[in-house]
Amino acid sequence: MTSNNELRLAYCLTVILLLVGGICFAAYPVEKPKDPVRKMFKTSAGNVLFTHKVHRVETGYGAACIDCHHHHEEDPENYKACGDCHTAELPKTVPQNCLECHDSAGNIEDHHPKTIEGDEARLCKDCHQKTKDGSIPEACTECHEPDEIKGKQKIMNFQNRSDAFHKQCIDCHKEYGSGPVECSSCHVM
Amino acid sequence: MFNQKKFIVSHAPFWHDGSSLSTKHYHIMLAATLAVIPGFVQYGGPAVAVVCFSIATAMIWEMIINKIAKQPVTIGDGNAALIGLLLAMMIPATTPWWAVLTGTFLAIVIGKQIFGGLGGNPFHPVVVSMAILSLSWKGIFDFNEALLPYDFNFTMAYPLASLKAFGPDSISSFSITDLLIGRQTGGIGSTCGIALLIGGLYLILRGFIRWEISFSFLAGAFVTAFLFTLFGEEGKYAGPLFHIFTGYTLIGAIYLATEDSSSPVNFIPMLLYGAGCGIMTILIRNIGAYVDGVVLAIFLMNLANPLIDKIRPKALGKVA
């Protein structure tokens, strides 16, 4: 082959490959499936690789959606991320996305404005806590006689984001007696 | 004494197999393509995009540099295309176009042309590029993260990452045959061991690459990994075959370490150089910080290459 022919071949190759490459990039963007196959959680303690699909399919660990997407969500296509409800900090107001479903019916409005302002601001857990003997939380007694509302308190083990993950993931692994429970077997440190 | 120049010699490479540089480079590309096909089959469109774009942009960068330097255009020799192909083989199918473009820039411009083009480069251009890329964009070149959307019917964790983070217990789901036939995640063209080996064998038989380097690379890696399992703490290190068939070991031994201008040309030095690459690879994987050691190992041995190549037979007769 003469070097002129070689050059011509190389030019042709460049043009063709550039075209094919460009078209393929445009035609086949890498799509993240809506229902994740795996998730990589990036944390300050190292990444965690979570095999979402393996956890839920029958041939894998066969967990039901509701075991994890636990809070009354009805549309599996559009499950919220855990962090949408389990926000990083303890919220001082009822997050807007709770109100999507929990509208202001009932006495929600009578109770919740108080959580917003001032030194007296209460955290969710002040009222939604689980007391040891099942008695009503102290916070209620400011406005109610204990007898009046007995048994009507709403317990909410409401956790911030990483506690929610840790509790759910590790509790289940313990329950099944398999799956990682130690820090270094989930986190790539 | 004559004071005039009689014979002007250019830089290495001097290895001559009777055919031209372009023949050699296109043959290597052909052999390497064998290992890319499984990648195309697995990852489809995005993998084709990365490979084609990488080869094309490598040639374009070379052309641009040729023009700037007012040199004749050298893409006819196929070396730029080969560099583009090898780079694409090592990166995930999900690499975005701009990262490919940056990768070929680093390989062609920083890795090769700065040193005067083909034959002048002290390091393998692709090794230079990979080293910089993976330090700069960890997420894009981390196979676990990059390949999240894909699901094949084998364990989708990157074997070397599992080994590093969770130890040999975590890799029991990989059988050696699975690894050999490419049932593992990794770069587009670096996971199918059997295809890499066939390509390598072809190139060695045709004399396009030196068996001494490939062989001593693999032997060095094998023996070192074996010694670790033998004398190291029980259950802490993976076996030699696992190391050979995962990560970049094979593509490194066959396509990267054998590059002419960054590797030695004498027999003993070739063996030393290859073995050095293999030993360093395992040392980095077993006791170093990086998940895979191949890129760094070759980089370091490239650096040592001029020194190693000093070990050579005495010339017959008298040297002035």
Side-chain angles (χ1 to χ4, degrees), chain B residues 193-253:
Chain B
I194 192 82
L196 287 165
L197 284 174
I198 292 173
L201 207 62
Y202 168 76
L203 292 175
I204 286 172
L205 290 177
R206 291 292 307 266
F208 288 121
I209 61 170
R210 305 304 307 262
W211 68 268
E212 294 90 337
I213 296 177
S214 299
F215 177 80
S216 56
F217 191 132
L218 296 180
F222 189 96
V223 171
T224 316
F226 186 64
L227 289 179
F228 265 103
T229 53
L230 214 57
F231 299 113
E233 204 177 306
E234 183 97 6
K236 202 168 163 227
Y237 300 105
L241 284 177
F242 177 85
H243 281 294
I244 300 279
F245 295 131
T246 50
Y248 297 141
T249 316
L250 285 174
I251 195 177

Side-chain angles (χ1 to χ4, degrees), chain B residues 76-109:
Chain B
D77 66 19
N79 184 253
L82 174 61
I83 290 177
L85 177 64
L86 289 179
L87 179 71
M89 288 168 73
M90 297 177 70
I91 58 184
T94 51
T95 314
W97 64 269
W98 55 266
V100 177
L101 190 69
T102 316
T104 50
F105 171 84
L106 291 170
I108 297 290
V109 182

Side-chain angles (χ1 to χ4, degrees), chain B residues 231-315:
Chain B
F231 299 113
E233 204 177 306
E234 183 97 6
K236 202 168 163 227
Y237 300 105
L241 284 177
F242 177 85
H243 281 294
I244 300 279
F245 295 131
T246 50
Y248 297 141
T249 316
L250 285 174
I251 195 177
I254 292 164
Y255 294 102
L256 299 181
T258 52
E259 199 250 358
D260 291 307
S261 96
S262 54
S263 67
V265 291
N266 295 305
F267 181 68
I268 300 288
M270 278 198 280
L271 293 183
L272 286 177
Y273 166 88
C277 289
I279 294 169
M280 290 292 298
T281 296
I282 303 300
L283 286 181
I284 295 170
R285 284 186 189 177
N286 277 355
I287 53 186
Y290 293 99
V291 166
D292 196 352
V294 172
V295 168
L296 191 59
I298 297 180
F299 192 85
L300 291 174
M301 291 313 286
N302 283 166
L303 198 66
N305 164 38
L307 212 67
I308 303 176
D309 218 12
K310 287 249 164 7
I311 312 169
R312 62 189 166 207
K314 278 220 177 76

Side-chain angles (χ1 to χ4, degrees), chain B residues 113-132:
Chain B
Q113 292 294 348
I114 275 189
F115 300 104
L118 179 61
N121 49 301
F123 305 105
H124 194 300
V126 173
V127 165
V128 173
S129 174
M130 277 309 296
I132 302 178

Side-chain angles (χ1 to χ4, degrees), chain A residues 37-52:
Chain A
V37 178
R38 286 179 303 278
K39 285 221 80 157
M40 171 88 86
F41 299 107
K42 298 188 164 179
T43 80
S44 53
N47 294 351
V48 176
L49 185 66
F50 170 55
T51 52
H52 186 254

Side-chain angles (χ1 to χ4, degrees), chain A residues 1 3 5-26 28-33 36-42 47-51 53-54 183-189, chain B residues 20 22-23 26 29 44-46 48-53 55-57 59-60 63 67 73-77 81 93-97 100 139 142 144-152 156-158 161 165-166 185:
Chain A
M1 227 184 335
S3 56
N5 279 345
E6 279 177 359
L7 204 55
R8 223 168 287 141
L9 175 75
Y11 282 131
C12 287
L13 205 63
T14 313
V15 173
I16 294 172
L17 289 178
L18 191 65
L19 275 178
V20 176
I23 291 170
C24 283
F25 266 121
Y28 303 101
V30 179
E31 274 166 22
K32 297 229 162 80
V37 178
R38 286 179 303 278
K39 285 221 80 157
M40 171 88 86
F41 299 107
K42 298 188 164 179
N47 294 351
V48 176
L49 185 66
F50 170 55
T51 52
K53 191 167 169 197
V54 176
C183 319
S184 63
S185 48
C186 264
H187 289 274
V188 174
M189 303 210 181
Chain B
S20 68
S22 61
T23 319
Y26 284 122
M29 283 183 74
V48 177
V50 169
V51 172
C52 293
F53 195 68
I55 301 176
T57 51
M59 295 207 273
I60 292 172
M63 230 169 348
K67 293 278 185 225
V73 173
T74 53
I75 60 172
D77 66 19
T94 51
T95 314
W97 64 269
V100 177
D142 173 315
N144 274 340
E145 198 176 332
L147 300 177
L148 283 179
Y150 291 95
D151 187 35
F152 306 128
M156 289 297 292
Y158 183 54
F166 308 126
T185 56

Side-chain angles (χ1 to χ4, degrees), chain A residues 22-189:
Chain A
I23 291 170
C24 283
F25 266 121
Y28 303 101
V30 179
E31 274 166 22
K32 297 229 162 80
K34 268 202 128 178
D35 180 358
V37 178
R38 286 179 303 278
K39 285 221 80 157
M40 171 88 86
F41 299 107
K42 298 188 164 179
T43 80
S44 53
N47 294 351
V48 176
L49 185 66
F50 170 55
T51 52
H52 186 254
K53 191 167 169 197
V54 176
H55 271 75
R56 66 179 181 68
V57 293
E58 276 309 315
T59 48
Y61 316 142
C65 305
I66 201 173
D67 287 347
C68 304
H69 301 280
H70 65 95
H71 197 73
H72 309 282
E73 288 176 273
E74 263 154 25
D75 180 9
E77 293 265 292
N78 291 309
Y79 277 149
K80 289 185 188 0
C82 312
D84 286 351
C85 293
H86 297 274
T87 48
E89 294 160 53
L90 289 173
K92 293 235 168 92
T93 58
V94 181
Q96 198 56 42
N97 58 17
C98 308
L99 300 177
E100 272 172 30
C101 306
H102 298 277
D103 54 23
S104 343
N107 297 94
I108 250 192
E109 278 180 330
D110 290 319
H111 292 110
H112 292 125
K114 289 289 173 193
T115 61
I116 304 170
E117 290 150 44
D119 299 339
E120 306 255 306
R122 293 178 198 96
L123 298 174
C124 315
K125 66 172 182 316
D126 292 339
C127 293
H128 290 288
Q129 65 179 289
K130 190 182 202 165
T131 45
K132 275 189 204 106
D133 48 2
S135 63
I136 55 161
E138 237 181 68
C140 312
T141 56
E142 271 178 40
C143 308
H144 294 288
E145 289 298 321
D147 295 342
E148 184 189 346
I149 50 165
K150 197 139 201 267
K152 301 227 173 116
Q153 69 268 41
K154 299 271 177 191
I155 295 163
M156 187 157 74
N157 292 318
F158 203 65
Q159 324 215 343
N160 76 18
R161 187 179 149 94
S162 51
D163 290 348
F165 276 108
H166 281 154
K167 182 155 172 45
Q168 191 180 79
C169 308
I170 295 171
D171 277 6
C172 181
H173 291 162
K174 279 188 181 148
E175 198 178 310
Y176 277 75
S178 65
V181 292
E182 264 143 48
C183 319
S184 63
S185 48
C186 264
H187 289 274
V188 174
M189 303 210 181

